[in-house]
Amino acid sequence: FLLKYMEQNLIISRWGFDDEERVKYVIPSILQLKPSSLKPVCKDNLQCMFNFHHALTLGVYERIACQVVQSTLSSAKDSKAPELYYGFSKHYLGDDFTFYLERTPDVINCYIEDYKKPPIKCITRLLKMFGKVRECLGEGMKFETRLLIEPKVYESYESVKAKKLGNWC
């Protein structure tokens, strides 16, 4: 009962990236710190900022990490295992996208390292995952999604998608 409750509320996520028969779980809130040598790689300046405009509530980033792991396992079974650290992760959505998520006090940054489909689709998928986290936490989880279109210039997700700006579409 407790495992199912924790999984449904995105506190833990099943870890199905290996062939072992034993069920494993990942608990993002107790992961090790990222090695200082590990830095996000950003291809073509494809950076997205999910700005919460206030200090992130404890558990938001961790639930998003769980949701990305769960979504990857259900929709892209051939994906490589993500690299998860406290406040930092590298994810693979099949071979379509490779991206990093990094938590700062009031922002979650996404850096796209590699892509085979238009990068805007990666952000669209992430926004659906954020929606599932919002279902767990309630409507109080508000944020603004802004995409880098040129150095130090961000535009809203909606504007970039509609106008096909930058390298995103």
Side-chain angles (χ1 to χ4, degrees), residues 59-128:
V60 169
Y61 176 86
E62 292 77 5
R63 283 180 166 91
I64 289 167
C66 277
Q67 182 56 44
V68 174
V69 169
Q70 286 181 9
S71 179
T72 300
L73 284 171
S74 65
S75 66
K77 294 178 183 0
D78 59 336
S79 290
K80 289 193 236 176
E83 298 171 36
L84 302 172
Y85 301 94
Y86 185 77
F88 184 87
S89 51
K90 181 176 182 179
H91 299 272
Y92 307 87
L93 293 177
D95 62 354
D96 292 341
F97 303 105
T98 302
F99 63 95
Y100 298 85
L101 293 176
E102 182 175 46
R103 178 186 183 199
T104 65
D106 61 346
V107 170
I108 295 175
N109 287 304
C110 174
Y111 306 92
I112 298 180
E113 178 182 64
D114 196 23
Y115 56 94
K116 294 211 166 109
K117 293 185 177 179
I120 195 78
K121 292 184 179 214
C122 181
I123 304 305
T124 302
R125 286 174 73 177
L126 282 171
L127 286 170
K128 287 179 184 173

Side-chain angles (χ1 to χ4, degrees), residues 14 16 18 22 30-31 34 39 41 49-50 54 59 70 81 98 105 135 143 150-151 158 160 163 168:
R14 285 181 187 259
D18 48 32
R22 189 175 62 138
I30 60 169
L31 292 171
K34 154 182 102 68
K39 305 274 188 239
V41 176
M49 170 176 51
F50 302 100
H54 56 78
Q70 286 181 9
T98 302
E135 288 173 16
F143 60 91
E150 53 186 73
E158 294 81 9
V160 170
K163 297 176 187 176
W168 288 97

Side-chain angles (χ1 to χ4, degrees), residues 133-165:
V133 173
R134 182 179 281 143
E135 288 173 16
C136 285
L137 298 177
E139 293 301 314
M141 188 181 118
K142 295 185 186 327
F143 60 91
E144 177 184 27
T145 306
R146 307 204 38 92
L147 286 71
L148 186 69
I149 57 164
E150 53 186 73
K152 299 184 181 182
V153 178
Y154 287 86
E155 284 281 339
S156 73
Y157 163 81
E158 294 81 9
S159 176
V160 170
K161 192 170 179 179
K163 297 176 187 176
K164 301 182 187 298
L165 297 173

